[in-house]
């Protein structure tokens, strides 16, 4: 017998309808690419997104067509986002930090018919437009007064184009499993692969994100997503904020400490989310300028491991709670978030920080477990390591056009490529990417844990650990360090600092100093490059 409840497809247009009906005056504040701060409301966004859908329809865009954006977090990006998805086309967010050849590859692979380009990225497309045969037009996301002098072919001015339609448009209804968004994983090896979100997965994921123990957004929140919309849906915030009716503050192109501080301070931001490098810049600015953050309740830190020293700085110096989160593009992206349970409130600060350094617990609809090389589940005891596998209604089941073949096992589990522990309370801790873990004498050494501790040394700005071949132990760790400006720590100093904080056999065999550590397009340490750079490095005799 089937249930007798209404057939109400989970479509993302419903999220924006909800925001416009229930929170019409709630603000969306943008630092525009042109410079000034722009303000409007969910009611305005709702109107302009429908106008966009109508304009796209006039241009011949149909259900299932792919439309690319290459843009910062701003109001126009939200209009395209909801306009495209709302009409049943697919919004393909392009990460501008990819190499031009990769951008060309993914736009051709996705067969995008229009590309919405923020002013900053016009030069990127001037260089590759001739190799994008399927693209009919490049819509520059500005008004006539700010149109650049460009030789880009088929160029369109966003505001003039949009003005050719009105907002008299009703969202169509279709199957909730229809594709809504497309985001390529940066793929450290091989070509990027397309993760194709559906309306259903996006709506369910927005509900997941808004659970009180996850992002927990509500109508009295003011949220600043520093994490870009092209980085896996701005970690659900592009859907979760309107669903909750939260005020949205969009940072546009400026992510330096001063610019972020200004928005946090002037807009009364209560919640923000970003990768650790962004927070490092903000903390540096606060320290230099002697500024405080009285209104900010909590920050969500993820994308790569958040060092305990960063949690401590936020919580003890600025009274801002830190929630460490983990996820991946294939998971929409939230997988875990590290809020404490009531029984942890009485723990000492240092124990709390240690627990908060773990990547956190799975919200409802995410299932996860750790398995050994043969696929046998490992205990949830916080000690056993294993391959982290996941499943859920907002987790990928394959990549666009079947690239990469089958990605689920017989029981529907997706291998994240991460190695982790899970404790009895459900807190998961990433110890490494499977390909980065160091295998020494048959045992595994966690590079992330050593890096996390090393950055607590006052002379270390950034640290990366890689394994180098070793005749006796197979592999041994090399610690690579960028020294903090104005300091010159010695390798010996840093090793002495690590002593007692990690197992003896985890101690790096050597320390190398570099001016800069290379990063991927989503801000992760590029360990492949480091391994290539240091492949002939001689470890001292032990
Ligand atoms: P890409 O692979 O395109 O760079 P993703 O954002 O999908 O981008 O990367 C997901 C991976 O990032 C995870 O599998 C994990 O290795 C890493 N990651 C994400 N959040 C964290 C975190 N809090 N701690 C450690 N690693 C993380």
């Amino acid at each position: 017998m089937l249930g007798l409840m209404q057939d109400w497809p989970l479509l993302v247009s419903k999220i924006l309808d909800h925001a416009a009906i229930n929170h019409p005056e709630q603000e969306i504040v943008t630092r525009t690419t042109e410079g000034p701060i722009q303000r409007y409301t969910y009611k305005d966004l709702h109107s302009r997104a429908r106008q966009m859908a109508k304009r796209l329809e006039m241009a011949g865009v149909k259900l299932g067509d792919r439309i690319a954006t290459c843009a910062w977090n701003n109001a126009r990006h939200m209009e395209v986002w909801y306009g495209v998805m709302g009409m049943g086309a697919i919004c393909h967010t392009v990460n501008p930090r990819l190499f031009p050849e990769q951008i060309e590859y993914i736009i051709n692979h996705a067969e995008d018919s229009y590309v919405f380009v923020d002013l900053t990225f016009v030069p990127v497309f001037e260089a590759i437009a001739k190799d994008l045969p399927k693209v009919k037009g490049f819509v520059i996301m500005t008004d006539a007064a700010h149109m650049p002098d460009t030789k880009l072919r088929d160029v369109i001015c966003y505001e003039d184009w949009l003005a050719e339609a009105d907002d008299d448009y009703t969202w169509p209804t279709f199957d909730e499993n229809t594709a809504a968004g497309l985001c390529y994983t940066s793929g450290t090896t091989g070509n990027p692969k397309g993760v194709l979100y559906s309306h259903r997965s996006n709506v369910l994921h927005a509900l997941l994100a808004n659970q009180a123990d996850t992002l927990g957004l509500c109508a009295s929140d003011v949220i600043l997503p520093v994490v870009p919309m092209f980085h896996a849906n701005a970690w659900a915030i592009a859907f979760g904020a309107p669903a909750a009716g939260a005020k949205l503050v969009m940072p546009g192109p400026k992510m330096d400490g001063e610019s972020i501080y200004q928005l946090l301070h002037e807009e009364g931001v209560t919640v923000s989310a970003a990768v650790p490098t962004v927070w490092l810049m903000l903390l540096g600015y606060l320290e230099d300028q002697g500024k405080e953050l009285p209104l900010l309740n909590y920050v969500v830190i993820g994308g790569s491991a958040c060092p305990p020293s960063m949690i401590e700085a936020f919580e003890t110096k600025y009274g801002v709670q830190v929630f460490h989160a983990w996820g991946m593009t294939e998971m929409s992206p939230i997988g875990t978030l590290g809020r404490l349970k009531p029984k942890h409130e009485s723990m000492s600060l240092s124990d709390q920080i240690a627990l908060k350094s773990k990547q956190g617990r799975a919200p409802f609809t995410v299932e996860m477990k750790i398995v050994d090389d043969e696929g046998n589940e490992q205990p949830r005891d916080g000690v056993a390591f294993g391959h982290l596998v996941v499943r859920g209604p907002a987790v990928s089941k394959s990549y666009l056009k079947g690239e990469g073949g089958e990605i689920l096992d017989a029981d529907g589990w997706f291998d994240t490529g991460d190695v982790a522990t899970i404790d009895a309370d459900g807190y998961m801790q990433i110890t490494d990417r499977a390909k980065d873990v160091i295998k020494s004498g048959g045992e595994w050494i966690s590079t992330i844990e050593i890096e996390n501790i090393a950055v607590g040394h006052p002379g270390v700005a950034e640290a990366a650990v890689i394994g180098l071949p070793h005749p006796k132990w197979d592999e041994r760790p090399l610690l690579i360090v960028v020294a903090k400006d104005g300091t010159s720590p010695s390798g010996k100093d840093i090793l002495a600092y690590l002593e007692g904080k990690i197992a003896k056999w985890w101690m790096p065999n050597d320390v190398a100093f570099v001016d800069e550590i290379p990063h991927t397009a989503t801000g992760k340490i590029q360990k492949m490059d480091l391994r290539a750079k240091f492949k002939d490095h001689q470890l001292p005799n032990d």
Side-chain angles (χ1 to χ4, degrees), residues 184-187 231-232 301-306 324-330 359 416-418 430 433 448 520 522 524:
Y184 282 74
T185 62
S186 21
H231 194 182
I301 305 184
S304 51
C306 171
H324 195 184
W326 163 87
M328 57 195 313
T329 307
E330 290 88 335
Q359 276 73 4
T416 62
D418 288 322
I430 301 275
R433 291 294 288 168
I448 293 187
T520 68
T522 48
K524 298 176 186 33

Side-chain angles (χ1 to χ4, degrees), residues 47 135 282 326 329 465:
S47 156
V135 176
L282 177 73
W326 163 87
T329 307
V465 175

Side-chain angles (χ1 to χ4, degrees), residues 68 87 97 161 173 195 252 279 291 305 310 316 327 358 409 412 415 436 540:
M87 72 175 297
R97 296 182 190 127
W161 200 65
T173 294
V195 172
W279 296 125
K291 303 279 192 197
M310 182 172 282
T316 58
K358 295 189 174 194
D409 73 9
D415 186 344
D436 294 336

Side-chain angles (χ1 to χ4, degrees), residues 363-427:
F364 174 58
T365 72
V366 172
E367 290 180 5
M368 62 184 188
K369 64 176 182 178
I370 46 171
V371 298
D372 65 12
D373 287 339
E374 280 72 49
N376 303 309
E377 182 163 4
Q378 299 301 295
R380 291 175 181 251
D381 60 6
V383 179
F385 288 47
H387 302 281
L388 180 64
V389 299
V390 295
R391 61 184 186 189
V395 178
S396 299
K397 63 178 173 191
S398 67
Y399 293 108
L400 184 62
K401 300 184 177 173
E403 300 287 346
E406 285 287 332
I407 60 171
L408 303 187
D409 73 9
D411 297 318
W413 293 96
F414 171 75
D415 186 344
T416 62
D418 288 322
V419 175
T421 62
I422 304 178
D423 69 20
D425 282 314
Y427 290 82

Side-chain angles (χ1 to χ4, degrees), residues 8 15 56 68 128 165 198 231 251 283 298 303 340 360 370 414 416 433 493 503 535:
W8 195 85
I15 295 179
L56 288 164
I128 62 172
S198 67
H231 194 182
L283 288 171
Y298 58 92
L340 298 185
I370 46 171
F414 171 75
T416 62
R433 291 294 288 168
D493 258 8
K535 72 179 187 338

